[in-house]
Amino acid sequence: MTSAVPSTFAAFLCFLFLTASVSGAAGQEELGKQPTATAEPEKKITEIKIGYLRAYAPRLTLSLLDVPPRDEGVAGANVAIGDNNTTGKFINQKFSLDVTEIKPESDAVQAFGDLIAKGDRYVIADLSAKQLLSIADIARDKGVLIFNIGATDDSLREEDCRINVFHIAPTRSMLADALAQYLMVKKWPNWVLLYGSHEQDHLYADALRRAATRFGGQIVAEKEFKDTGTARRTDTGATQIQQQISVFTQDLPEHDVVLVADESEVFGTYVPYRTWTPRLVAGTAGLVASSWHPASEQWGGIQMQSRFLRTTGRRMLSKDMSAWTAVRAVGEATTRTNGDDPKKISDYIRSDDFSVAAFKGQKLTFRKWNLQLRQPILLGDTKSVVSTSPQQGYLHQVSELDTLGIDQPETKCVLK
């Protein structure tokens, strides 16, 4: 009897062991049969391809400090692409930039066609007015939007305006009006106008004349500085032009300011400090009106400047800011419309709902009548921003920014 107890106990332990083994094996078998977790389907990424078409060639300037960097404009666009992608990753959008260069006098049609073939439906254009017009209608027929960052010609916003061309660069009339407002606020109303002999010089001179009439300035004398083809980069050439300035400005009537219209870079840089009588200089030299300034730090500008410097290794110029603004306008519109349809993008940009922030103290919008970007204009010298126009006291029934440039009642634009 006593010997049966251990046998029974041993049998019981054996039973428990076998049960545990079977249960464990069954559990492992069931575990092996469990379905593997299915991976979530990849979210579709909308790729938004932006083209950048620029007319480029090394350009002579009177000062080595004014030689444009090789990536002028392109650097601003690339920084904006990064900004767009920072937001785009949250809504499954990816932005890219295709850059194509042509010569300043080359035909732009083939290069533009190549960008379209790559799938670019938004094109940043740093071209002459002639080149821009050569592709505008082709772009319209292909459903492509163009953002002009290079040509300041008023005609592109007036008689030659197009419904698919948005203008980021300010016009010559906007720049001239910004300067004229400041001079009138300072009570310096009497001006002498010195202008170059090239077409772009004449166009800016025309804008300054218009600004004088519009804001009450008086151009008391005008003189044209003829480009005689002097080798500007040689010591003798530079010295010759500098010596001419004093004599060139000798017999002028009494005036407050010398206005210079020298977009072609022949003589303007040499006017300050070399006039016959001591006078302030403004226009394309001295006090210059521009859409951006490398020293601008108001309204968050210091953050933009620091980020641009960190990314590119240099200071941000006006064309960089224009390109940045153009790419950001596309990014803002695609975000708000949640898509990549140029027709919807165009409609949204032209609507009352659109605006883009560009570190200028207020949100920027496009004028509906000619698709020009409203924007403050900075007035600065080589070191700092002196003032910003519109100046205080210049009022408008819609936007004070519309006191700069051609207003809606004056426009000749019929969008088509």
Side-chain angles (χ1 to χ4, degrees):
M1 193 70 183
T2 56
S3 62
V5 174
S7 300
T8 303
F9 182 68
F12 176 70
L13 290 178
C14 184
F15 172 76
L16 289 178
F17 175 77
L18 291 173
T19 303
S21 299
V22 172
S23 298
Q28 290 182 7
E29 184 178 355
E30 289 297 321
L31 184 61
K33 291 180 179 179
Q34 288 181 359
T36 56
T38 57
E40 291 185 10
E42 291 187 7
K43 295 181 179 179
K44 183 180 179 182
I45 302 295
T46 300
E47 185 173 2
I48 299 162
K49 304 185 70 174
I50 300 176
Y52 192 118
L53 180 56
R54 68 188 304 222
Y56 174 80
R59 182 164 62 90
L60 286 177
T61 59
L62 296 181
S63 170
L64 289 174
L65 297 179
D66 294 331
V67 176
R70 183 66 177 80
D71 61 349
E72 182 187 25
V74 176
N78 278 321
V79 171
I81 288 289
D83 294 343
N84 284 358
N85 282 329
T86 298
T87 303
K89 65 183 179 181
F90 296 106
I91 54 176
N92 303 316
Q93 291 181 345
K94 181 180 179 181
F95 294 82
S96 61
L97 188 71
D98 293 320
V99 180
T100 296
E101 288 184 359
I102 60 174
K103 297 294 184 182
E105 302 302 324
S106 297
D107 184 2
V109 173
Q110 180 61 52
F112 180 71
D114 292 342
L115 288 175
I116 294 177
K118 293 179 181 179
D120 298 322
R121 306 169 80 185
Y122 313 93
V123 174
I124 314 301
D126 183 7
L127 304 170
S128 68
K130 180 180 179 181
Q131 289 170 323
L132 185 61
L133 282 176
S134 72
I135 63 174
D137 292 340
I138 299 172
R140 180 192 57 202
D141 295 341
K142 298 286 186 179
V144 174
L145 304 183
I146 296 176
F147 294 83
N148 167 33
I149 66 164
T152 58
D153 303 66
D154 283 88
S155 60
L156 290 174
R157 290 80 163 171
E158 296 303 309
E159 56 267 27
D160 293 326
C161 66
R162 297 292 189 274
I163 198 168
N164 62 312
V165 181
F166 294 88
H167 303 280
I168 308 296
T171 61
R172 289 186 177 94
S173 63
M174 291 171 67
L175 300 174
D177 287 354
L179 192 59
Q181 284 188 12
Y182 179 72
L183 297 181
M184 295 306 295
V185 165
K186 295 296 291 181
K187 302 188 185 306
W188 300 329
N190 299 313
W191 311 332
V192 163
L193 175 60
L194 309 181
Y195 58 95
S197 56
H198 295 273
E199 180 184 4
Q200 62 266 39
D201 306 328
H202 285 207
L203 290 173
Y204 190 47
D206 287 342
L208 290 169
R209 295 184 188 101
R210 174 186 174 276
T213 301
R214 192 178 193 194
F215 297 108
Q218 297 293 322
I219 297 180
V220 297
E222 296 187 13
K223 294 190 77 172
E224 182 182 48
F225 192 98
K226 293 286 188 182
D227 183 3
T228 57
T230 302
R232 289 175 281 167
R233 273 295 176 82
T234 65
D235 291 341
T236 54
T239 301
Q240 180 181 345
I241 294 176
Q242 293 177 46
Q243 291 175 342
Q244 289 177 10
I245 298 301
S246 182
V247 176
F248 185 66
T249 58
Q250 182 175 2
D251 299 321
L252 296 173
E254 183 60 30
H255 58 282
D256 302 308
V257 179
V258 175
L259 295 182
V260 177
D262 179 37
E263 290 187 12
S264 53
E265 279 279 321
V266 172
F267 73 99
T269 300
Y270 296 142
V271 174
Y273 310 110
R274 294 182 176 89
T275 54
W276 185 264
T277 54
R279 290 295 181 269
L280 298 168
V281 176
T284 59
L287 185 67
V288 178
S290 58
S291 60
W292 186 249
H293 193 286
S296 180
E297 57 184 7
Q298 286 186 298
W299 309 302
I302 190 66
Q303 285 86 357
M304 180 75 248
Q305 300 276 26
S306 298
R307 186 156 53 88
F308 187 86
L309 178 61
R310 187 170 59 252
T311 303
T312 67
R314 64 172 178 81
R315 298 293 179 184
M316 191 175 203
L317 304 177
S318 289
K319 194 166 289 185
D320 294 311
M321 175 51 82
S322 291
W324 183 91
T325 304
V327 174
R328 282 295 299 124
V330 175
E332 179 69 17
T334 53
T335 297
R336 299 297 180 181
T337 60
N338 195 29
D340 183 28
D341 181 353
K343 176 65 168 61
K344 290 182 179 179
I345 299 302
S346 177
D347 290 343
Y348 179 73
I349 290 177
R350 290 186 286 116
S351 74
D352 293 332
D353 296 327
F354 175 82
S355 65
V356 61
F359 306 96
K360 293 187 178 181
Q362 55 188 295
K363 293 182 177 181
L364 310 185
T365 61
F366 285 92
R367 292 170 178 161
K368 293 183 179 180
W369 62 88
N370 64 2
L371 305 186
Q372 170 64 52
L373 185 72
R374 295 181 176 97
Q375 57 188 298
I377 299 298
L378 307 184
L379 307 175
D381 58 12
T382 57
K383 294 292 186 181
S384 65
V385 177
V386 175
S387 186
T388 302
S389 290
Q391 297 293 315
Q392 188 173 0
Y394 287 94
L395 305 178
H396 192 276
Q397 63 270 28
V398 177
S399 169
E400 291 179 4
L401 294 175
D402 286 340
T403 63
L404 305 177
I406 297 175
D407 200 3
Q408 187 169 10
E410 309 168 272
T411 189
K412 299 175 184 177
C413 174
V414 179
L415 293 171
K416 56 184 178 180

